[in-house]
Amino acid sequence: MTFRFLLPVLFLISLFTPLSASQAAYDAWRQQPVTWIRVGIKDKDAVQALRSNTKLLVLEGDRVVQTIEPGGLFRVTSARIQRKGYRYWVAIQSDAERQPLEVLQTKLETTFPEAAYKIVGQKSGFALRGGPYADKQKAAAARDRFIADGFAKAQLVTSKTRYPFQWINRHYDKFDLRADRDVGVVHADPNQPINFAGNAYRGVLRFRLSGNKIRIVNELPLEVYLRGVVPTELGPNVFPEVEALKAQAVAARTYALKNMGRFNKSGYDICDTPACQAYEGTRNEHPLSDQAVAETEGMVLYHGDTLIDALYTSTCGGVTDDVGNVFPGRNEPYLKSKTSYLAAYPSWQLPKKDVPDAVAAVGHHLTATAVLFGMNPPAKVALLSDDVFSGFLRDLRWVFGDVPAYNGPKQVTYRAFWQTLAALPAVAGALKHQFNPADMARPLRGSTVDQALQPLAAFMLRYELIDSDELARLDSDEVIDNRHALTLLLHLAESWGPQPEWDRYTVTDIQNGVMVLQRGTKTKMLALKDIRYYLSEHADHWTFRAQPQLEKLDRVYLIDGPFRRDIVRIQENYKVASVDRFSAYDVWVDKKSVEALEKRARRYVRGLRGIRDVRVLSRSAAGRVTELEYVADSGNRRVKGLDIRWSLGVRDNLIDLVPSYKNGRLVHLTVFGRGWGHGVGMSQVGAYGLASQGWTFDKILTHYYDGVQVSPYVGKTKPDPGSP
């Protein structure tokens, strides 16, 4: 039976072909009555690497033209780069209409899967071709198979590919993506993601050429996009307040809709970096942020009848700024300076815990370190006795291993102290296996250390466990005191033993003798009676606290690892009182040499050479620098707005400068600052702080955006209520 008699049958079964079923599934997803957004993701590159273990649909616009099964890693590249001269194809069938050939193509993809197929236009209609083949002999063999199967007019043709993109499997075999325009791939279930550049993206990944490089554009429903934006911009594991996340969702939705089409010339609507909104596909999706997006679906911010440009900043340093002070020339009435000094948290006085007696003798830090390592520090400073030394060694057996018995004098000398430590298994083993006599001679050149202690001295110097002052006392017959001995032993324990690991929690409540702690979305109960000591850490030194006072959301750290579990580290937020104080960057210091500063500043200040000084010329009422001057050999240069922090390489414009000079020229610049970001609009960490004290998302938004209303999206401008 010839093929022309099979055509009516094939038209009927085409409704049930895999390609038709894939098209139907894709259409059902694509025809959702939702807003769609195109996101430019990652950087352009000549080759883009993706990953999928399941079937993908190849799209030409919204038409499914092909299915591929990469089986893992695959790459997409431009056919401009990959093709080399002419390739061989078999012209299988011609027709005046395209649809019969599409049906035949689907049939052949099942019966002859070793070939790729494409439909090309010609003067009298369309032609279906199979291939490509690397050489004429293979192409001729394929033509003969097609003729034998009933395609009598099959003939050999040569052609350059007309398709703009190819995909390369993990075996480096190259295949066409058989689509001429608006080429993309989507998971067979479009709600499932495709992996690209370490992230996974739901929806369609479109390929757009820019020169010889490919830009990938993620096309997906706006609400699905927001599932990726909200947790990337305000992480639920760190800031687990749903009202803050809802405020973030509304702000992000408003920003996306306001800026839709901003990058139309490049083929997408919005970028995926903080220059627009941070978006990493499904990587950061979280049930709490998903809830926030769902519960605010379609809700946006209007000022009067106009959709606002909902700028937001990570941390405002206590106060946001008028938009014109950071973005010169802008003056939106809803982007005004707003305070974050709105804290009103409950506080609790913790039960009193006695501070160890040793604090009076050896200080807070040494006592705390000793207690953490399970030692009993001395209550008074005295010459080291043999029984106290033996007790220290027993306490540290879990760190040092099999500690040898002390057999020296009753009052322990420096020599006896170090001779005992030389017998520790870690020291003895290293000296035996890792030291050559020459290794000992070199670092001890000019030293008068007793020959018997020279191996130990070389070991201590190699691993930087002692300084030159301690080296000089190594073989002394002077009696060591217990504080100095404890200091040396703990230094060794910290150097080669485990480090305390602290798990961070925030305090959410204290009642009935129980402290309620939260870490992300997990809650832990801590009985106050089980706490023996409170510790705090300032300037890398421990301090015991007898009866600290905590506010809600202050940090509490619980120790992990082989250390005492009845010690709690307390960190009150004493630095500032604003609601954005929970950011790691509410307060910061940045230091730069003039060389590093100039290298950075040249990227933003044209013609800058030889910086002599940096001066603040003006500030806003909120305290941010609004104009900065670089005094330089090349002439003075002034910068405003975002160029201030970008040229300085700092986090915010809320700064003070501490310059250092030598011979009248700047040699170093220290910057004291607060905040992270441009400082305009909603403070994201401030939103968390307000939500934690009971503010709802709409109250948060109407505080940070002046004179706005939260309402469903009806367009960038609300229609006239009287219009039909």
Side-chain angles (χ1 to χ4, degrees):
M1 182 183 294
T2 62
F3 178 73
R4 64 178 179 274
F5 298 119
L6 286 172
L7 275 177
V9 177
L10 286 174
F11 274 124
L12 289 173
I13 68 170
S14 70
L15 296 174
F16 306 102
T17 61
L19 211 57
S20 298
S22 297
Q23 182 73 62
Y26 174 77
D27 288 344
W29 174 77
R30 191 69 169 95
Q31 290 166 9
Q32 300 173 79
V34 298
T35 301
W36 296 80
I37 190 167
R38 300 167 302 159
V39 188
I41 55 176
K42 304 301 180 185
D43 295 326
K44 296 181 291 185
D45 206 343
V47 179
Q48 297 284 19
L50 299 90
R51 182 180 294 275
S52 178
N53 293 314
T54 56
K55 183 173 71 173
L56 300 180
L57 311 181
V58 179
L59 302 174
E60 182 178 74
D62 283 328
R63 187 167 65 90
V64 179
V65 297
Q66 181 186 8
T67 63
I68 62 174
E69 296 193 29
L73 178 69
F74 70 105
R75 296 170 175 84
V76 173
T77 187
S78 167
R80 295 178 190 170
I81 300 172
Q82 291 298 321
R83 66 170 173 253
K84 297 179 180 179
Y86 286 91
R87 295 187 296 179
Y88 295 93
W89 293 78
V90 177
I92 302 167
Q93 185 84 22
S94 297
D95 200 286
E97 301 293 332
R98 185 184 181 103
Q99 187 177 11
L101 297 179
E102 289 177 348
V103 174
L104 177 58
Q105 177 180 343
T106 302
K107 176 79 171 179
L108 293 177
E109 284 171 344
T110 302
T111 55
F112 293 97
E114 67 274 11
Y117 300 90
K118 67 177 181 178
I119 298 172
V120 298
Q122 54 187 24
K123 290 182 180 180
S124 57
F126 301 89
L128 176 64
R129 294 178 178 176
Y133 299 96
D135 57 62
K136 191 172 183 178
Q137 184 177 358
K138 291 180 179 178
R143 175 202 58 197
D144 294 343
R145 288 198 302 274
F146 283 115
I147 291 173
D149 206 59
F151 300 100
K153 294 184 178 181
Q155 57 182 313
L156 205 60
V157 295
T158 55
S159 173
K160 288 185 177 180
T161 179
R162 294 183 57 214
Y163 299 127
F165 299 103
Q166 293 179 317
W167 71 280
I168 306 167
N169 66 17
R170 63 185 187 278
H171 304 298
Y172 291 91
D173 301 317
K174 303 181 186 73
F175 307 93
D176 283 324
L177 292 174
R178 296 197 300 274
D180 291 318
R181 56 178 178 78
D182 203 13
V183 183
V185 293
V186 65
H187 198 285
D189 175 359
N191 293 308
Q192 297 302 312
I194 301 172
N195 289 305
F196 167 58
N199 296 334
Y201 295 89
R202 302 183 195 279
V204 180
L205 298 183
R206 302 273 184 194
F207 309 115
R208 301 195 180 280
L209 274 177
S210 177
N212 283 329
K213 291 189 175 181
I214 301 171
R215 160 77 71 185
I216 293 189
V217 176
N218 186 197
E219 188 173 5
L220 72 169
L222 175 63
E223 298 297 316
V224 178
Y225 159 72
L226 291 172
R227 289 177 61 192
V229 170
V230 173
T232 305
E233 286 285 357
L234 189 65
N237 287 320
V238 180
F239 306 107
E241 286 287 345
V242 72
E243 292 300 313
L245 293 165
K246 287 162 74 172
Q248 178 65 65
V250 173
R253 184 181 294 110
T254 305
Y255 182 90
L257 290 166
K258 181 72 173 182
N259 290 277
M260 190 81 77
R262 178 177 164 190
F263 298 92
N264 261 339
K265 289 184 178 179
S266 300
Y268 55 96
D269 295 310
I270 201 166
C271 65
D272 67 341
T273 72
C276 298
Q277 299 188 124
Y279 169 64
E280 296 181 349
T282 67
R283 168 182 278 186
N284 301 313
E285 286 182 357
H286 190 282
L288 209 58
S289 51
D290 283 353
Q291 176 187 344
V293 172
E295 290 182 0
T296 63
E297 183 176 0
M299 303 302 290
V300 294
L301 296 166
Y302 285 98
H303 186 268
D305 292 337
T306 304
L307 189 70
I308 76 166
D309 191 8
L311 299 181
Y312 50 85
T313 191
S314 168
T315 308
C316 69
V319 60
T320 64
D321 223 315
D322 291 352
V323 64
N325 293 326
V326 181
F327 299 92
R330 294 184 61 170
N331 62 353
E332 290 91 333
Y334 49 82
L335 294 175
K336 295 296 184 183
S337 178
K338 295 290 181 178
T339 185
S340 285
Y341 280 92
L342 299 164
Y345 299 105
S347 63
W348 307 274
Q349 191 86 38
L350 298 185
K352 186 176 181 180
K353 306 291 181 180
D354 292 333
V355 173
D357 293 337
V359 167
V362 300
H364 283 270
H365 184 73
L366 188 59
T367 302
T369 307
V371 169
L372 285 170
F373 275 88
M375 301 183 71
N376 292 311
K380 63 179 181 178
V381 178
L383 296 177
L384 183 63
S385 64
D386 57 349
D387 58 335
V388 171
F389 185 32
S390 296
F392 286 169
L393 293 174
R394 283 195 302 273
D395 290 342
L396 291 174
R397 186 184 299 275
W398 69 277
V399 178
F400 294 150
D402 292 329
V403 178
Y406 174 68
N407 294 315
K410 289 276 186 184
Q411 289 190 317
V412 182
T413 63
Y414 280 95
R415 180 192 297 274
F417 176 85
W418 288 112
Q419 284 175 335
T420 303
L421 295 186
L424 291 175
V427 179
L431 289 173
K432 179 179 180 181
H433 304 123
Q434 300 182 35
F435 276 79
N436 182 279
D439 294 331
M440 301 176 194
R442 187 176 181 85
L444 296 175
R445 191 175 298 155
S447 172
T448 59
V449 174
D450 188 287
Q451 187 172 1
L453 287 171
Q454 285 184 3
L456 174 67
F459 172 86
M460 292 294 176
L461 289 172
R462 173 182 285 187
Y463 294 103
E464 299 183 355
L465 299 174
I466 57 173
D467 58 21
S468 57
D469 291 337
E470 204 60 51
L471 177 65
R473 287 192 291 260
L474 205 70
D475 56 359
S476 170
D477 290 322
E478 179 186 351
V479 177
I480 188 172
D481 67 52
N482 53 11
R483 177 169 57 186
H484 194 181
L486 182 64
T487 302
L488 292 170
L489 288 169
L490 287 172
H491 178 60
L492 294 178
E494 289 179 310
S495 297
W496 68 50
Q499 294 294 316
E501 297 177 5
W502 299 92
D503 294 331
R504 188 178 78 178
Y505 295 83
T506 55
V507 181
T508 59
D509 197 8
I510 297 179
Q511 55 181 325
N512 300 323
V514 175
M515 186 185 298
V516 183
L517 303 175
Q518 189 169 25
R519 188 181 188 191
T521 56
K522 296 180 180 179
T523 300
K524 182 180 182 68
M525 304 295 182
L526 178 64
L528 296 176
K529 65 179 180 59
D530 294 336
I531 300 173
R532 179 64 185 88
Y533 297 117
Y534 307 119
L535 285 179
S536 62
E537 185 180 26
H538 303 303
D540 295 326
H541 272 69
W542 294 115
T543 302
F544 284 92
R545 306 291 300 279
Q547 195 172 17
Q549 182 169 314
L550 294 180
E551 283 188 359
K552 184 178 180 181
L553 298 188
D554 278 346
R555 293 171 184 167
V556 168
Y557 296 79
L558 303 183
I559 201 165
D560 199 4
F563 297 90
R564 288 184 59 161
R565 300 301 182 93
D566 58 354
I567 300 173
V568 171
R569 175 182 161 195
I570 302 292
Q571 184 179 328
E572 305 104 318
N573 265 308
Y574 64 91
K575 295 179 181 178
V576 294
S578 57
V579 292
D580 63 338
R581 67 179 186 254
F582 309 104
S583 167
Y585 301 103
D586 179 68
V587 177
W588 46 266
V589 178
D590 186 87
K591 305 176 82 172
K592 285 183 174 67
S593 67
V594 69
E595 293 80 11
L597 173 63
E598 186 162 319
K599 182 178 180 181
R600 170 79 186 191
R602 283 178 185 174
R603 295 164 57 184
Y604 303 96
V605 186
R606 183 177 297 179
L608 184 67
R609 292 289 186 278
I611 295 176
R612 302 173 63 89
D613 201 359
V614 182
R615 300 171 181 167
V616 173
L617 299 183
S618 62
R619 291 181 182 272
S620 69
R624 283 182 174 79
V625 176
T626 55
E627 188 169 17
L628 187 79
E629 183 177 50
Y630 289 96
V631 179
D633 296 337
S634 57
N636 294 3
R637 301 287 192 277
R638 295 186 176 188
V639 292
K640 296 181 178 181
L642 294 179
D643 283 341
I644 294 172
R645 71 183 183 102
W646 287 343
S647 62
L648 290 173
V650 296
R651 296 181 178 91
D652 199 304
N653 287 0
L654 188 52
I655 55 174
D656 282 278
L657 308 181
V658 184
S660 299
Y661 302 97
K662 196 167 186 179
N663 299 324
R665 296 183 69 99
L666 183 74
V667 293
H668 187 272
L669 185 67
T670 297
V671 183
F672 291 96
R674 290 191 62 186
W676 191 6
H678 49 65
V680 176
M682 182 180 73
S683 168
Q684 294 166 281
V685 181
Y688 164 73
L690 293 172
S692 68
Q693 58 188 41
W695 286 40
T696 59
F697 78 96
D698 52 342
K699 185 178 179 181
I700 294 168
L701 292 167
T702 54
H703 168 69
Y704 281 116
Y705 301 107
D706 205 32
V708 301
Q709 308 88 41
V710 181
S711 59
Y713 179 65
V714 292
K716 291 188 177 183
T717 302
K718 288 184 178 180
D720 186 338
S723 62

